[in-house]
């Protein structure tokens, strides 16, 4: 991208702050709906970072797939499972949080150390900029053709699998008595199979 | 104050590391199953940032990282669809989304 480097730095700083604050909000906020909307903010700032990295096609794909599909799917799932429930207290929860935070901090330090000690082959070849979309198309239909076709099969399998898993069996007649089933009551008249005492 | 003239590669790597570690922490500590799926999406996005940064800085001509990122986005979409379907089916059977009560297979 041919914008001034100072502008680039300011954009990077703003996007990074949005990204980090949004990510912490996603995992820390008690209300799950706020988390879902902050997740959309995280996805949007990631796509802004892609624009800074000369990848306009992937940025558009990120917005379309993540914000347009995945986030909406998550919001629908929240609406479908939004029963207000009081979580029972678990012994040692605070200790678990502190321990896992320590492990994640260690992982972060390791990743940062690797990032700063590895001798990257910089500067690499010059970026091709806006020709990236055409180059991605060439890749997808020449040397990445097999993964591309497998991805389409994977998406089809995921679609069928999601339908099969989330479908509720609807009967037109009662199994025992043979009378026509009251379709209006299907949502209410169901007994959970595996509910055990809390 | 002496700012660098352009963004270094390490800035993107550190940002992706922060995002990944946040995702791991959320994955371990979330009680709500939907939030677990959100944390997985955060981790996948961190990996994508890494791929795109390497593609832009080290592989500017053959942008293989961008192709990989597109495949990762595809797989993430499939994963979200199947994961949320499993979650719905689980909620229908257990009447809860509390991860601590999905303990049917615990020994």
């Amino acid at each position: 991208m041919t914008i001034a480097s100072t502008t680039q730095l300011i954009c990077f700083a703003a996007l990074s702050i949005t990204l980090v604050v949004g990510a912490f909000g996603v995992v820390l906020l008690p209300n799950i709906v706020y988390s879902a909307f902050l997740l959309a903010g995280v996805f949007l700032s990631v796509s802004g970072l892609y624009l800074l990295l000369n990848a306009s096609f992937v940025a558009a794909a990120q917005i379309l797939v993540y914000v347009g599909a995945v986030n909406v799917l998550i919001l629908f799932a929240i609406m479908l499972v939004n029963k207000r429930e009081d979580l029972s207290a678990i012994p040692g929860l605070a200790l678990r949080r502190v321990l896992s935070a320590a492990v994640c901090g260690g992982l972060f330090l390791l990743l940062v150390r690797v990032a700063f000690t590895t001798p990257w082959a910089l500067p690499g070849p010059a970026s091709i900029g806006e020709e990236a979309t055409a180059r991605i198309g060439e890749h997808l239909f020449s040397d990445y053709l097999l993964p591309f076709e497998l991805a389409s099969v994977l998406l089809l399998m995921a679609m069928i699998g999601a339908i099969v898993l989330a479908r509720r069996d609807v009967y037109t007649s009662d199994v025992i008595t043979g009378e026509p089933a009251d379709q209006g009551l299907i949502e209410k008249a169901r007994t959970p199979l595996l509910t055990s005492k809390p | 104050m002496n700012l660098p003239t352009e963004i270094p590669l390490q800035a993107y790597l550190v940002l992706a590391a922060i995002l990944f570690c946040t995702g791991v922490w959320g994955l371990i500590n979330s009680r709500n199953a939907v939030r677990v799926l959100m944390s997985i999406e955060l981790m996948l996005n961190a990996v994508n940032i890494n791929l795109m940064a390497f593609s832009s800085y080290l592989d500017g001509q053959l942008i293989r990282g961008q192709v990989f990122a597109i495949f990762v986005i595809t797989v993430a979409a499939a994963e979200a669809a199947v994961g949320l379907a499993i979650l719905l089916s689980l909620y229908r059977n257990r009447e809860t989304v509390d991860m601590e009560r999905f303990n049917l297979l615990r020994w």
Side-chain angles (χ1 to χ4, degrees):
Chain A
M1 193 175 286
T2 54
I3 52 177
S5 58
T6 316
T7 322
Q8 226 167 346
L9 271 179
I10 293 171
C11 290
F12 181 77
L15 289 170
S16 317
I17 291 169
T18 321
L19 185 71
V20 173
V21 171
F24 279 120
V26 167
V27 297
L28 290 177
L29 280 185
N31 191 335
I32 189 88
V33 182
Y34 295 165
S35 292
F37 281 108
L38 274 179
L39 191 67
V42 170
F43 290 155
L44 285 174
S45 49
V46 168
S47 107
L49 286 178
Y50 293 170
L51 282 180
L52 279 182
L53 287 167
N54 293 317
S56 43
F57 177 74
V58 186
Q62 165 92 8
I63 291 182
L64 281 177
V65 174
Y66 271 112
V67 185
V70 172
N71 205 33
V72 172
L73 201 63
I74 286 177
L75 279 171
F76 268 99
I78 290 171
M79 279 194 279
L80 287 171
V81 298
N82 69 345
K83 193 178 73 173
R84 196 51 77 177
E85 57 182 320
D86 297 322
L87 299 178
S88 54
I90 302 257
L93 190 62
L95 178 67
R96 191 205 295 184
R97 293 196 165 182
V98 171
L99 276 181
S100 54
V103 170
C104 292
L107 178 64
F108 172 68
L109 288 180
L110 181 72
L111 288 174
V112 168
R113 186 169 183 278
V114 168
F116 280 98
T117 53
T118 309
W120 304 111
L122 285 170
S127 178
I128 54 174
E130 290 305 315
E131 290 174 36
T133 311
R135 191 61 58 87
I136 288 172
E138 287 167 16
H139 274 305
L140 283 185
F141 284 100
S142 58
D143 46 351
Y144 289 95
L145 182 62
L146 182 64
F148 181 68
E149 300 293 340
L150 281 180
S152 62
V153 176
L154 175 79
L155 282 177
L156 179 68
M157 281 161 51
M159 188 175 74
I160 297 173
I163 292 171
V164 168
L165 281 170
R167 185 185 62 169
R168 179 178 303 143
D169 288 326
V170 176
Y171 299 109
T172 52
S173 62
D174 197 302
V175 181
I176 300 166
T177 59
E179 295 168 353
D182 186 359
Q183 300 290 332
L185 289 176
I186 282 175
E187 284 295 323
K188 300 164 198 162
R190 63 190 170 81
T191 48
L193 299 175
L194 293 172
T195 37
S196 53
K197 71 284 167 205
Chain B
M1 196 165 143
N2 190 11
L3 282 174
T5 52
E6 61 180 23
I7 309 164
L9 171 64
Q10 282 85 359
Y12 286 100
L13 299 185
V14 170
L15 195 62
I18 293 174
L19 196 59
F20 188 82
C21 293
T22 314
V24 171
W25 193 87
L27 185 69
I28 298 172
N29 283 300
S30 298
R31 301 279 306 267
N32 193 325
V34 183
R35 205 189 295 269
V36 171
L37 288 170
M38 289 189 202
S39 304
I40 293 175
E41 299 295 335
L42 285 185
M43 290 161 67
L44 286 167
N45 267 286
V47 173
N48 266 350
I49 291 177
N50 263 359
L51 284 174
M52 302 290 288
F54 288 136
S55 160
S56 175
Y57 281 84
L58 304 174
D59 191 23
Q61 289 296 313
L62 304 163
I63 37 168
R64 284 166 292 199
Q66 296 195 18
V67 186
F68 265 83
I70 288 174
F71 285 125
V72 171
I73 288 176
T74 314
V75 174
E79 174 263 341
V82 175
L84 290 170
I86 290 174
L87 176 66
L88 274 187
S89 160
L90 206 54
Y91 177 74
R92 206 168 287 149
N93 286 328
R94 305 296 304 247
E95 289 279 305
T96 180
V97 286
D98 186 2
M99 292 301 286
E100 298 297 328
R101 289 180 58 199
F102 298 150
N103 51 8
L104 204 62
L105 291 180
R106 181 190 276 176
W107 65 84

